[in-house]
Amino acid sequence: MSTLAARALVCRRGTRTVLESIDVAFVADQVTAIVGPNGSGKTTLLRHLAGLDRPAAGRVELDGIPTGGLGAGVRARRIAYLPQGASAYWPLFGRDLVALGRLPHGANLERPLAAQDAEAVERALRRVDGLAFADRTIDALSQGERARMMLARALATEADVLLADEPVASLDPAYALDATAVLRAEAARGGCVVVSLHDLGLAARFADRVIVLANGRVAADGPPDEALRPAVIDAAYGVGFRTVVLDGVTQPVAWSRGP
Amino acid sequence: MNRWLIALVLVLYLISLAVGPALWPWRLGNEVGWAIVWELRVPRATLGLLIGGVLGLSGAILQGWLRNPLAEPGVIGVSACASFAAVCAFYSGLAAAFTLALPLAGIAGAAIAVALLMTAVRAGTGTVSLLLMGVAINAIAAAMIALVLASSPNPFAYQEISLWLAGSITDRDLRYLAISTPFMVAGALLVLGAGRWLDALSLGEDAARSLGVDTGRLGLRLTLGVGLMVGAATSVAGVIGFVGLVAPHLVRARVGYKPGATLVPSMLAGAALVLAADILVRLLPTAFELQLGVFTSLVGAPFLVYVVRRSRSAWLAT
């Protein structure tokens, strides 16, 4: 049961402030969606949470301990990160690709995997329904199938926290639904899942909690039907939203230009 | 695959001892025969083995590290800088004054290139900044070599420099072996353990860092290792191109494209390539012995074109 928190986090690029005093805590058993228009700081926030960028001020804490103080190995075992548009530079076999997620646990692809690493790889493959692709090279897979293997790679670490940056961008609806189901299952397993999304409808349906970023600040933070109210997101996106209710879930729809 | 490659390297090494103007020199059964073996053939074959090995290994390291199947030891400017320093040793007459000036200058040149590259690695973690630094070093070294050649006072020095630049391991005695081997071995030991971090880098730098790879420290380690290996090799043999490019290509598909798993096979394949090429230049019925570096370029460049065309283009584009 882990909590990842940003405390008064500030990020500056030159004179521009990308993130302005972000104070949020992400808890276990939940899928938290980060939404916001392009350039609102979603990717930057995830990169800071993953420890890839050093904040100008403030800090990121895992269970109250600043992640900057954790060793790279400990951080890698506890926080898994799936970058946006994740890809691989070599046509690796699916199973080898997923096994990369076990590197923080000491796995070495040049040797046979230890039993617990091999089991974790098989579990991750099963969770994304990717066993059929495990023995094919990833250049022989479709974009959606490859994205599935990338997700399995992040799951294979079996970390306390999973950070996924736009894991369903530019993919078929079928894959998007499958992937969000996998992320929900990860939260059900006790994981703290933080995912940035472009699709507000998907966020409304699948997230336990939605954080709306606008100009590097938290514009709203709460359950989807509160955070995604037109009153909030109209200003954040500069668009007039309308809502429809489907199966009891409020879906925001971008309707008109200008709030 | 490693077992086959080791056997191939051993066979080629033995052939390299036997082949030359005096065929099967040990059959002479006298002191001259054994002198040929120990003072000419053994240093030559051993240098071929070591230089081929470190060139193949350096190619595999650079391709994995820079995630570019077209990277090679020359790319980051270490061989060019080593060449320039060695050319200076020729030009100043130091090389003529004492034999070891040449290798020492080459290693010094490589060390300077490595120091420059380290500043690039420290300044930014991106491989782009490193590649740009390599391009800059290459351009400056090439210009300086051209300048030294153009201002060469006598035609003999000019010829000597040109021949050396073409790359060869002919007539290198045990002293060359003694001064270059420790550097090549140290460099190889430094990089051989980096395989799993290169595997992680298949996912890009961000994902690799999230998996616990300290990309800055890895960069320093690999820059130093490649600098030692390529600097020492270039200083005794000149520029032997394309081995670092071809060797990893030959073995990559057989190890499932895992960058870490290509390291040892690439080293063995590089050794086999240079030994085989060095045997062939001795056997070819040319008026005078073809330069090894010229030969590897003549064979290597068309092979590279073939590999690039055959490779899945999508993976080369990234």
Side-chain angles (χ1 to χ4, degrees), chain A residues 7-87:
Chain A
R7 305 278 183 219
L9 195 71
V10 177
C11 166
R12 292 196 188 89
R13 297 262 158 77
T15 56
R16 204 166 67 90
T17 302
V18 184
L19 294 175
E20 181 65 62
S21 56
I22 302 283
D23 257 301
V24 282
F26 304 93
V27 296
D29 302 318
Q30 280 200 354
V31 174
T32 307
I34 299 175
V35 303
N38 293 329
S40 59
K42 300 189 293 289
T43 294
T44 309
L45 177 56
L46 282 172
R47 288 179 58 88
H48 278 82
L49 292 174
L52 296 177
D53 288 343
R54 203 175 292 236
R59 63 195 180 279
V60 174
E61 290 176 354
L62 183 61
D63 294 334
I65 301 160
T67 53
L70 295 174
V74 175
R75 202 196 59 216
R77 278 192 291 279
R78 299 201 56 193
I79 305 178
Y81 170 72
L82 182 63
Q84 189 171 359
S87 185

Side-chain angles (χ1 to χ4, degrees), chain A residues 158-250:
Chain A
E158 303 193 335
D160 302 321
V161 179
L162 173 62
L163 307 170
D165 196 359
E166 300 278 5
V168 301
S170 77
L171 293 170
D172 293 343
Y175 171 76
L177 293 174
D178 288 347
T180 41
V182 171
L183 294 175
R184 280 238 59 91
E186 175 70 3
R189 194 185 68 89
C192 167
V193 180
V194 184
V195 53
S196 73
L197 287 174
H198 248 107
D199 187 335
L200 297 181
L202 215 53
R205 260 181 95 185
F206 285 101
D208 298 298
R209 175 179 162 210
V210 173
I211 289 169
V212 182
L213 282 185
N215 294 319
R217 290 165 188 276
V218 175
D221 178 358
D225 50 357
E226 273 177 37
L228 294 174
R229 276 175 299 142
V232 175
I233 53 178
D234 280 6
Y237 282 86
V239 164
F241 279 93
R242 308 260 293 261
T243 56
V244 288
V245 179
L246 300 170
D247 286 352
V249 179
T250 309

Side-chain angles (χ1 to χ4, degrees), chain A residues 47 52 88-89 103 107 139, chain B residues 196 199 202 206 209 312 315:
Chain A
R47 288 179 58 88
L52 296 177
Y89 288 84
L103 289 184
D139 60 329
Chain B
R196 50 197 294 265
D199 290 339
S202 313
D206 284 346
R209 285 177 59 207
R312 286 162 270 199
W315 298 98

Side-chain angles (χ1 to χ4, degrees), chain A residues 47 51-52 72 75-76 81 83 87-93 96-97 100 103-104 106-110 137-139 150 153, chain B residues 63-64 67-69 195-197 199-204 206-207 209-212 252 256-261 312 315 318:
Chain A
R47 288 179 58 88
L52 296 177
R75 202 196 59 216
Y81 170 72
S87 185
Y89 288 84
W90 306 105
L92 301 173
F93 283 99
D96 286 337
L97 177 83
L100 288 176
L103 289 184
N108 185 341
L109 300 198
E110 275 69 81
T137 55
I138 54 166
D139 60 329
M150 291 293 169
R153 192 280 296 167
Chain B
Q63 292 179 14
R67 305 181 292 286
N68 188 330
R196 50 197 294 265
W197 306 131
D199 290 339
L201 276 169
S202 313
L203 298 167
D206 284 346
R209 285 177 59 207
S210 78
L211 287 169
R252 180 165 288 127
Y257 288 85
K258 289 177 284 187
R312 286 162 270 199
W315 298 98
T318 48

Side-chain angles (χ1 to χ4, degrees), chain B residues 21 31 92 111 125 261 267 297:
Chain B
E31 280 173 22
S92 62
T125 50
M267 185 168 74
S297 294

